[in-house]
């Protein structure tokens, strides 16, 4: 008797062919959009703090006179100030056209800069891997794998830092850097007409004018990308990359507001950036989770763009440490990208994984969880957290001062928060909060000395009166517990910050009854 052959299971129905030009949806728009929305909401509700006042003050000066804007922090000329970048000038023109205040326009830039950053991360991640989850992992690594504690620095794009710095020019520059690298990768792989190389050079010029140190890091990344991706060098290819460099230098050189190349030898900001080299594990420790993946890429292909980029960044950061030019520590804003993106690409690779890559998964999971714990306090309110986490210090709102002090007035104060926040509303100080390479060093030193002398306990009344007249100061803001003799009357007091606003008398300011200020001889 014949035995019937076993029946085969029916074949699954064939997938309908995809329509031409129709792409399969990827998870990055969903996750990138969620990240953008969370950070945009938190940034919008963050009070004015840190460098915000400096940038808003520059926008306010462009709004007042876009041809010859004054010094953003002082009642003085602003000729040659590097604060007047294309970013600030554009915002100033927008404020002038709309009638909005400078600080309002700067705050509105937070969501725009975050969108540019998310788009840039996705564009560059797709040049490294075609896997749909690679950009998602890259965004998570780029915003979480920083230090073991939440740290804030302009241009550093961890979640903690972005909640305050999203509207800064440095964040805009980081987003442009990723787009520059993605464009360089495309041209190195496929080539293109000369206008594409010229456009890439123009993008580099804008980046250089907006944030020179970030631009330096972006150039390093672009060089690494071209070195790793250019398939075949020829005279034509070299000429086109030379065209890109020439357009960048020429376009940056014709910017009318300041000479960006004169900043190369400036050392006035070095002492501020020494902190970036201290306690590196606290600043950058979690990014080391991507080191095995980066080493694997370097071994398999020594010309790998991420491997070359990391080596060049190490040389540049090491030069800053050995030479004492600590401002080069700003390159750490992008120097961690090779580690972070190497890890992201490795996690997005198709399975099954080999032994070394399988061991990378728990390391990455622990590092990302540590990063989430370190930075969650910046976006989640205390009442929603089951455990106590660090939170960014909440700055006071100084709009109570602006109800009495109009823009263009000079306020005497040495409070840290006040000197950073008040310039956002068009109020001038007598000494700059941050060094300005365009300001004469002697003038900056004299202003700082006068500020210290005014608030010194042993200063004579005549010395204080001389300082008030010299800078035409009409207002005095005293911090909590500060007891300085003054000639005037207290007009406002903050219950939150315990600060007191004093309107100085016309006699103390050297003004007559008709408001005319007599000439004051300037000491040599």
């Amino acid at each position: 008797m014949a035995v019937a052959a076993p029946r085969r299971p029916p074949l699954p129905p064939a997938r309908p062919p995809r329509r031409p030009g129709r792409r399969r949806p990827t998870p990055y728009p969903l996750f990138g959009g969620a990240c953008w929305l969370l950070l945009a909401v938190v940034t919008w509700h963050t009070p004015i703090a840190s460098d915000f006042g400096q940038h808003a003050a520059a926008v306010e000066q462009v709004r007042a006179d876009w041809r010859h804007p004054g010094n953003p922090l002082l009642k003085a000329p602003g000729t040659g100030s590097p604060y007047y970048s294309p970013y600030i000038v554009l915002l100033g023109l927008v404020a002038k056209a709309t009638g909005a205040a400078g600080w309002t326009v700067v705050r509105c830039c937070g969501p725009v800069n975050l969108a540019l950053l998310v788009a840039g991360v996705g564009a560059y991640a797709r040049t490294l891997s075609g896997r749909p989850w690679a950009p998602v992992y890259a965004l998570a690594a780029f915003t979480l794998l920083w230090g073991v504690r939440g740290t804030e620095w302009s241009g550093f794009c961890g979640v903690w830092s972005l909640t305050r710095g999203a509207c800064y020019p440095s964040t805009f520059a980081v987003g442009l850097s990723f787009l520059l690298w993605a464009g360089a990768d495309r041209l190195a792989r496929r080539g293109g007409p000369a206008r594409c190389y010229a456009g890439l050079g123009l993008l580099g010029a804008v980046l250089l004018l907006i944030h020179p140190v970030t631009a330096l890091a972006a150039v390093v990344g672009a060089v690494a990308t071209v070195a790793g991706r250019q398939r075949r060098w020829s005279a034509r290819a070299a000429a086109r990359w030379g065209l890109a460099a020439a357009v960048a230098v020429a376009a940056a050189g014709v910017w009318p507001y300041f000479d960006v190349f004169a900043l190369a030898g400036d050392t006035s900001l070095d002492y501020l950036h020494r902190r970036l080299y201290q306690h590196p594990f606290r600043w950058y420790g979690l990014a080391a989770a991507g080191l095995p993946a980066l080493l694997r890429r370097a071994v398999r292909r020594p010309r790998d763009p991420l491997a070359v980029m990391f080596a060049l960044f190490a040389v540049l950061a090491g030069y800053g440490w050995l030479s004492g030019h600590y401002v080069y520590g700003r390159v750490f804003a992008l120097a961690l990208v090779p580690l972070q993106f190497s890890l992201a690409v490795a996690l997005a690779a198709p399975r099954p994984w080999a032994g070394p890559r399988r061991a990378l998964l728990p390391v990455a999971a622990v590092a990302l969880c540590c990063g989430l714990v370190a930075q969650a306090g910046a976006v989640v309110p205390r009442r929603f957290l089951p455990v106590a986490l660090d939170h960014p210090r909440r700055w006071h709102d100084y709009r109570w001062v602006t109800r009495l002090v109009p823009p263009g007035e000079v306020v005497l104060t040495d409070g840290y928060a006040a000197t950073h926040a008040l310039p956002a509303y068009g109020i001038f100080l007598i000494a700059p909060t941050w060094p300005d390479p365009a300001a004469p060093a002697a003038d900056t030193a004299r202003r700082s000395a006068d500020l210290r002398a005014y608030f010194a306990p042993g200063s004579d009344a005549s010395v204080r009166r001389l300082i008030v007249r010299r800078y035409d100061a009409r207002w005095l803001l005293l911090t909590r517990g500060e007891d300085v003799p003054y000639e005037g009357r207290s007009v406002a007091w903050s219950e939150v910050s315990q600060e007191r606003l004093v309107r100085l008398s016309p006699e103390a300011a050297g003004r007559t009854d008709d408001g005319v200020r007599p000439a004051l001889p300037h000491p040599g």
Side-chain angles (χ1 to χ4, degrees), residues 157-214:
C157 293
V159 170
W160 186 290
S161 187
L162 280 175
T163 55
R164 284 186 180 169
C167 52
Y168 295 173
S170 55
T171 304
F172 187 83
V174 172
L176 286 185
S177 299
F178 282 117
L179 295 181
L180 181 75
W181 294 351
D185 185 277
R186 180 182 180 87
L187 290 179
R189 287 174 181 265
R190 307 177 186 177
R195 64 177 181 273
C196 293
Y197 291 84
L200 196 69
L202 186 60
L203 178 62
V206 173
L207 184 56
L208 178 62
L209 292 168
I210 291 177
H211 209 258
V213 182
T214 301

Side-chain angles (χ1 to χ4, degrees), residues 114-178:
L114 289 171
L116 177 66
L117 185 66
V118 171
V121 169
Y124 184 60
R126 283 188 285 270
T127 67
L128 300 172
S129 172
R131 305 296 299 177
W133 285 92
V136 177
Y137 297 151
L139 183 62
F142 184 62
T143 54
L144 294 177
L145 293 186
W146 287 81
V148 294
R149 293 185 61 184
T151 52
E152 176 189 354
W153 203 271
S154 171
F156 285 24
C157 293
V159 170
W160 186 290
S161 187
L162 280 175
T163 55
R164 284 186 180 169
C167 52
Y168 295 173
S170 55
T171 304
F172 187 83
V174 172
L176 286 185
S177 299
F178 282 117

Side-chain angles (χ1 to χ4, degrees), residues 334-355:
L334 292 174
L336 304 186
V337 166
L339 297 170
Q340 296 160 338
F341 280 55
S342 294
L343 180 62
V345 172
L347 294 177
R351 293 170 176 78
W353 289 351

Side-chain angles (χ1 to χ4, degrees), residues 232-295:
R232 184 176 56 186
W233 282 98
S234 63
R236 182 171 178 268
R240 296 205 164 181
W241 287 115
L243 173 65
V247 169
V249 172
V254 299
W255 182 247
Y257 288 90
F258 66 93
D259 182 7
V260 67
F261 300 108
L263 302 176
D266 181 71
T267 60
S268 60
L269 297 175
D270 285 332
Y271 76 97
L272 292 172
H273 294 86
R274 184 182 176 88
R275 292 174 52 195
L276 300 180
Y277 287 95
Q278 298 171 341
H279 311 294
F281 189 72
R282 176 181 174 182
W283 285 91
Y284 323 110
L286 296 179
L291 189 59
L294 180 63
L295 291 176

Side-chain angles (χ1 to χ4, degrees), residues 313-483:
F313 278 139
V315 171
L316 192 58
Y319 168 76
W321 170 252
L322 296 175
S323 65
H325 294 308
Y326 300 114
V327 72
Y328 287 102
R330 295 293 293 265
V331 301
F332 284 115
L334 292 174
L336 304 186
V337 166
L339 297 170
Q340 296 160 338
F341 280 55
S342 294
L343 180 62
V345 172
L347 294 177
R351 293 170 176 78
W353 289 351
R357 183 169 292 173
R358 193 181 301 117
L360 194 63
L361 184 60
V363 175
V366 170
L368 288 171
C369 288
C370 289
L372 187 62
V373 170
Q375 306 199 52
V379 294
V380 182
R382 295 178 189 271
R383 62 181 180 274
F384 296 130
L385 291 173
V387 295
L389 297 177
D390 291 336
H391 291 260
R393 183 168 67 93
R394 190 120 181 134
W395 287 49
H396 304 303
D397 192 340
Y398 281 89
R399 276 179 285 188
W400 64 275
V401 175
T402 64
R403 296 188 185 102
L404 295 171
V405 182
E409 292 285 323
V410 178
V411 174
L412 266 165
T413 182
D414 64 347
Y416 182 83
T419 55
H420 285 73
L422 288 180
Y425 305 103
I427 297 174
F428 292 118
L429 310 172
I430 74 165
T433 310
W434 301 114
D436 186 346
D443 181 67
T444 301
R446 178 174 59 82
R447 287 175 172 272
S448 299
D450 286 346
L451 183 64
R452 291 191 299 268
Y454 186 91
F455 288 95
S459 292
D460 187 73
S462 61
V463 173
R464 291 193 174 96
R465 192 177 298 115
L466 177 66
I467 293 171
V468 169
R469 295 180 181 182
R470 179 178 297 163
Y471 299 106
D472 195 20
R474 305 188 185 191
W475 304 87
L476 172 66
L477 184 64
L478 299 174
T479 59
R480 180 178 182 179
E482 200 166 39
D483 187 15

